[in-house]
Amino acid sequence: MEPFMRICVEKTAFFKILTHQQSLINKRSTTVPVLSHVLIKAHYSDQGDPIVSVHGTDMEMSLWEKEIIKPFESPGASVVCAHLLCEIVRKIDDQWVTLESFENHITIQGGAAEFHLPTLPVAEFPFMETQDLPFELLIHPGVLADVIKDTSFCVATEETRYALAGICFHFREDTQHQLSCNVVATDGHRLALSRLTDIRMNQSAAISGTASLLVIGRRTVQSMLRLLESDSGETVSFRFSANQVSIQGEKFQFFSRLLIDRFPDYIGAIPKNHLFRVQFDPKELMKTLDRVSMVIEERTRSVKLAFCKTGLTVSAHSSQGSAKEVIKISYDGEDFSLVFNARYLSEICQHARGNIMTIEGTKNQNPVLFQENNRDALYVLMPISA
């Protein structure tokens, strides 16, 4: 029997493509089985290069990715289970993987191993409906990845908090018509904000209303981050409308629907008035929190921070025991203390890039502000009642 498609692909590159699909493929789709599959296609690019492309979708997100391969004997396409194919390629003990597709199955070979998997008809593979996305921002993939990493750890994970289950990109134009973007995430207990400045965008003057505020869901953000971190190009295209977003690199194109919900007034949640100001080393505090937190019970997760001119005392106690440690700070005011969720505080310190961070607040149960000098990022954290 002659194969419909026969290609030979480099294992590492092919496995990376299949890994990118895992964050959006429904591994156990019983109502629509084809959504747990990917479409693999061998064809020639417009430049005449032999390429393999992999397409996956859950009808909310869609990812198409390609890789140049060895010249193939036979072009074609096949629809195969994404998760199983990814596991097979991962465990094959060879640099090269050969795929041969037939009418209702595909053969995967590498080294001494050979696998035969059933396939679905190519005609049944669904394609997510995409829209014309009028607004485009050309940006370095590392810059876009950084603002996502700076904020995504504050995204709400509770299913009931739908409006907070994503990152908000809020495009704003100042009086000099300079466009910037606040990138924000909050779960109601803490808030992270990073900024994209000096933005150049087509049709920037037309951004207003719903198109100026995008809420990108948690799963979409995770998929975007994997793609951005693996992209080695100078720029990616970040496109959007009022209800869809896309990023496109040299070897991939990703689409997703946006969360259609109202994001809370994050600007009003950022503290403005401060009665104290303390400077500390975030990396030193993170190490201290890691040690002191060993005696904390999972139920409470709280640590006490006692500020005085001679240093900051970090302490915790529970039925398992107690611990305290003193670190150096820069502070010349009156003694006071605050109680925080240890994990939340540690995550803020973890995302610091320098060795000096400032905490400002009002010495009561109001939110406190964490910032670094010369960096377009800030964090807000609610204290816990003692």
Side-chain angles (χ1 to χ4, degrees), residues 86-158:
C86 187
E87 283 298 291
I88 289 172
V89 172
R90 181 175 72 88
K91 294 182 179 181
I92 279 179
D93 188 19
D94 200 309
Q95 181 183 357
W96 299 96
V97 178
T98 300
L99 293 90
E100 289 184 297
S101 70
F102 299 88
E103 184 175 0
N104 56 12
H105 76 278
I106 188 169
T107 300
I108 305 110
Q109 293 177 300
E114 179 174 310
F115 300 85
H116 300 269
L117 302 183
T119 58
L120 296 178
V122 172
E124 291 184 6
F125 190 81
F127 291 91
M128 173 183 164
E129 183 178 350
T130 58
Q131 303 174 346
D132 178 39
L133 306 178
F135 307 109
E136 180 182 27
L137 167 64
L138 296 178
I139 186 171
H140 190 281
V143 173
L144 186 54
D146 281 346
V147 296
I148 290 175
K149 287 187 286 189
D150 283 343
T151 53
S152 58
F153 69 98
C154 286
V155 170
T157 57
E158 298 92 340

Side-chain angles (χ1 to χ4, degrees), residues 108-222:
I108 305 110
Q109 293 177 300
E114 179 174 310
F115 300 85
H116 300 269
L117 302 183
T119 58
L120 296 178
V122 172
E124 291 184 6
F125 190 81
F127 291 91
M128 173 183 164
E129 183 178 350
T130 58
Q131 303 174 346
D132 178 39
L133 306 178
F135 307 109
E136 180 182 27
L137 167 64
L138 296 178
I139 186 171
H140 190 281
V143 173
L144 186 54
D146 281 346
V147 296
I148 290 175
K149 287 187 286 189
D150 283 343
T151 53
S152 58
F153 69 98
C154 286
V155 170
T157 57
E158 298 92 340
E159 295 298 327
T160 55
R161 313 201 75 174
Y162 183 76
L164 306 182
I167 292 179
C168 173
F169 283 72
H170 185 192
F171 291 90
R172 309 170 73 196
E173 196 173 47
D174 62 22
T175 54
Q176 283 75 43
H177 303 292
Q178 293 293 317
L179 193 65
S180 64
C181 179
N182 287 346
V183 183
V184 191
T186 179
D187 60 6
H189 305 288
R190 52 185 174 161
L191 178 147
L193 183 149
S194 190
R195 292 187 179 91
L196 295 171
T197 57
D198 194 25
I199 292 174
R200 297 290 181 268
M201 182 182 296
N202 69 337
Q203 300 192 29
S204 60
I207 295 179
S208 61
T210 55
S212 67
L213 196 149
L214 323 175
V215 184
I216 302 178
R218 182 175 63 252
R219 289 181 59 242
T220 297
V221 165
Q222 292 168 349

